[in-house]
Amino acid sequence: MIAPKKGMPQGNPSHLLPSELIDRCIGSRIWVLMKGDKEITGTLRGFDVYVNMVLEDVEEIENTPEGKKTTKLDQILLNGNNIAVLVPGGKPDDS
């Protein structure tokens, strides 16, 4: 866990560093938009300084010319270089 900076308010999420926001998402569902045509939703289990991520209970959605292809996986390791966007809370239609 990353230590909070002294003098920074703890309750306001607008003062979070990106790594602090990701750290708060451990154990929660996240929606990951990858570079290219893939989206991944899953439960974040961990990450490193390169934003490589381990997700569990994963659903991978690939947009192909034939339509959407969905693959379910128990666990996946994502390379941080291929991540475009992270959305805490999971995909909007997950709820």
Side-chain angles (χ1 to χ4, degrees):
M1 179 150 165
I2 298 170
K5 293 187 180 215
K6 292 182 181 178
M8 294 290 287
Q10 296 302 308
N12 189 343
S14 66
H15 291 108
L16 286 177
L17 294 173
S19 59
E20 292 173 320
L21 177 60
I22 298 169
D23 190 57
R24 288 185 180 192
C25 292
I26 291 177
S28 301
R29 299 285 293 172
I30 62 167
W31 178 24
V32 183
L33 302 175
M34 305 295 287
K35 294 178 183 175
D37 293 327
K38 287 188 182 180
E39 301 176 17
I40 296 173
T41 59
T43 302
L44 180 63
R45 290 297 169 211
F47 71 100
D48 64 13
V49 295
Y50 302 104
V51 194
N52 298 316
M53 301 183 145
V54 176
L55 301 176
E56 288 182 345
D57 303 320
V58 177
E59 182 176 339
E60 178 184 57
I61 302 163
E62 186 172 7
N63 295 315
T64 65
E66 297 81 32
K68 290 188 176 189
K69 176 185 170 191
T70 301
T71 307
K72 297 210 182 254
L73 304 164
D74 291 331
Q75 194 172 56
I76 193 170
L77 171 64
L78 298 178
N79 184 319
N81 286 332
N82 297 319
I83 296 172
V85 178
L86 297 173
V87 182
K91 198 168 180 177
D93 57 356
D94 270 0
S95 25

